[in-house]
Amino acid sequence: MVKRIRWRYLVLHVHAPLDLEARDLERSLRGHIRMFLGVYGLSRCPFKLVAYDREGKIGIVRCPHDSVEALRAALAFLSDIGGVPSSLHVVKSSGTIKKARKVVEGYVEKLKSHWALLELGMKKPSQATEK
Amino acid sequence: MDLHVRLSCGGDPPELLIGMARHLGYSLIALSLEKEPRGAPLEGLRSLSREAGLDLAFRLDLKPSSPGELKAWLSRFRRRFEVIAVYCGNVAVARTAARDRRIDVTFYDLENLPSLLDEGQMSLLQEHGKHIEFNLSDMLGLPVDKQWKALWSYRYAFKEAKRRGIPIVFSSGASRITDMRAPRELSAVASMLLEDASLARSSVSLIPARIVDENRGKLGSAFVQPGVRVVDEW
């Protein structure tokens, strides 16, 4: 009998002063992870961006349970997205997508407001007041 | 905890760094300075971080060019900071840093890592119980070919350090909030380099916390010398 893959769902928070679309984020992640782990590494760590909230900058990534640590390490080395200094923070790792979505719902407002304050601080005063 | 968050001219202000540390889930960070600050902004930062629910320690990063300079700085600054770290850019400084008991943490020039962290240095670090620090932010700006070489050097050095029981600390070394990483991410990087999950967790949490605790005890008024402290006065 073929063994079922045990998936993990990582809730990611994107720290970037960018308005990214889901496909742009997935492309950047794939490019970075292929660069960091190589093609063989990527084949052992086949991840997929399952959902992404553009406004809250929170996404859910699915990967096999035994490659969570490799994915976390690879994500720690991500320093820019499209040339803009950025980072990713794994908020929570879950065994089911239902739980991951619940975490997103619970965290989205908190993270959004917290990150908005930090993002405002990253900009120069002249940029922060621009409309 | 993150033992190395840098305050620098080109980096983000300390308020942002403290806010980001809280956002990432840290309970304690060590803010590092490269020279003694003028005025007294440190207490203001401590109260700010206390309000944010974060314990703040201060650390001094020394970048001496010679052992004489290192010793002069140590006698001047040791009692003023909770953690003293030395950037080892050459062999003479690295050897002195490994011997001097006033130093807590040593970190190394990435370009010369294999020659700096050689057998002799490892023996001294082991004998004197000094820590080796890995700063993730030093890796982030590197081009890929230098990044893999540095990772290879660290992996080799950590294998030897692990065999000898030399404590290793993993920190972000960030001066901007986008260079800061959550504790679990640092632990994953540590796990990749050390090939030992429990040691990786210790190198991000237990070992740095122990350094700060021990030094806070030493900086307290009750401390006389290692193993001797004033319990009560009459």
Side-chain angles (χ1 to χ4, degrees):
Chain A
M1 198 176 114
V2 179
K3 202 178 171 189
R4 242 183 85 223
I5 301 170
R6 285 162 60 196
W7 297 106
R8 285 288 177 274
Y9 297 86
L10 305 182
V11 178
L12 298 178
H13 186 211
V14 182
H15 300 153
L18 286 170
D19 189 17
L20 283 168
E21 280 190 31
R23 63 160 186 260
D24 296 333
L25 178 65
E26 186 162 15
R27 197 179 301 138
S28 306
L29 288 182
R30 208 168 288 280
H32 169 74
I33 290 167
R34 195 175 56 199
M35 185 274 289
F36 189 76
L37 297 176
V39 175
Y40 176 68
L42 191 58
S43 76
R44 295 190 64 178
C45 182
F47 75 95
K48 186 184 175 188
L49 187 67
V50 180
Y52 180 63
D53 174 17
R54 197 172 161 178
E55 233 180 277
K57 296 182 179 177
I58 295 183
I60 300 172
V61 163
R62 187 186 75 174
C63 70
H65 85 284
D66 52 1
S67 58
V68 171
E69 283 297 290
L71 189 63
R72 275 182 188 267
L75 292 177
F77 278 84
L78 181 94
S79 59
D80 68 277
I81 296 174
V84 178
S86 315
S87 63
L88 288 167
H89 157 211
V90 179
V91 179
K92 181 89 184 160
S93 167
S94 157
T96 63
I97 185 128
K98 191 176 166 187
K99 179 76 187 294
R101 285 192 197 279
K102 215 175 253 183
V103 169
V104 171
E105 281 165 24
Y107 272 91
V108 73
E109 283 309 316
K110 190 183 158 198
L111 290 176
K112 213 180 349 180
S113 61
H114 202 144
W115 177 246
L117 279 176
L118 291 171
E119 204 176 25
L120 200 66
M122 284 168 79
K123 293 175 183 168
K124 291 170 190 165
S126 57
Q127 287 174 306
T129 51
E130 269 174 25
K131 285 190 179 174
Chain B
M1 70 163 286
D2 193 346
L3 197 70
H4 199 188
V5 179
R6 291 181 174 128
L7 273 185
S8 67
C9 294
D12 286 330
E15 296 80 9
L16 267 187
L17 296 170
I18 290 169
M20 186 64 168
R22 198 71 205 112
H23 180 65
L24 293 175
Y26 283 103
S27 58
L28 198 162
I29 60 165
L31 272 185
S32 81
L33 308 153
E34 285 178 4
K35 56 184 176 188
E36 195 182 25
R38 289 171 195 278
L42 300 188
E43 280 316 306
L45 287 178
R46 220 186 273 274
S47 63
L48 180 84
S49 69
R50 209 175 294 128
E51 278 167 29
L54 186 76
D55 192 1
L56 189 66
F58 289 105
R59 146 181 175 152
L60 186 69
D61 283 351
L62 298 174
K63 288 188 179 175
S65 53
S66 67
E69 197 177 27
L70 173 63
K71 284 180 177 168
W73 283 347
L74 281 172
S75 57
R76 195 171 151 203
F77 294 121
R78 175 64 265 195
R79 299 284 300 171
R80 299 186 200 174
F81 290 89
E82 282 142 311
V83 182
I84 296 275
V86 175
Y87 169 78
C88 303
N90 60 56
V91 176
V93 169
R95 297 287 195 265
T96 312
R99 277 194 206 102
D100 200 307
R101 69 176 195 179
R102 291 169 291 181
I103 293 162
D104 305 304
V105 176
T106 56
F107 59 109
Y108 298 86
D109 178 28
L110 286 183
E111 298 274 329
N112 303 316
L113 200 66
S115 60
L116 290 172
L117 268 175
D118 59 358
E119 282 283 314
Q121 182 72 5
M122 288 287 186
S123 299
L124 286 172
L125 289 168
Q126 182 185 11
E127 195 181 323
H128 297 273
K130 292 286 176 304
H131 299 76
I132 303 175
E133 188 179 53
F134 172 91
N135 288 301
L136 184 64
S137 68
D138 294 344
M139 293 279 162
L140 298 180
L142 290 179
V144 179
D145 56 335
K146 284 192 176 175
Q147 207 175 47
W148 74 255
K149 278 179 191 161
L151 280 175
W152 179 82
S153 304
Y154 266 123
R155 203 186 176 97
Y156 186 77
F158 288 161
K159 197 173 171 185
E160 184 60 18
K162 210 169 76 173
R163 192 181 68 77
R164 289 172 179 265
I166 299 167
I168 300 162
V169 176
F170 277 77
S171 311
S172 71
S175 59
R176 292 177 306 165
I177 59 171
T178 46
D179 288 347
M180 291 177 82
R181 297 291 180 271
R184 290 293 297 268
E185 264 85 279
L186 277 182
S187 167
V189 173
S191 182
M192 180 184 75
L193 289 171
L194 299 173
E195 293 169 354
D196 182 339
S198 68
L199 187 63
R201 277 194 296 274
S202 304
S203 68
V204 176
S205 60
L206 291 179
I207 297 171
R210 197 179 58 208
I211 296 173
V212 174
D213 280 349
E214 277 178 9
N215 287 343
R216 280 182 174 165
K218 285 180 187 172
L219 292 175
S221 56
F223 180 79
V224 179
Q225 65 178 60
V228 183
R229 67 187 174 92
V230 178
V231 180
D232 198 5
E233 286 185 67
W234 67 91

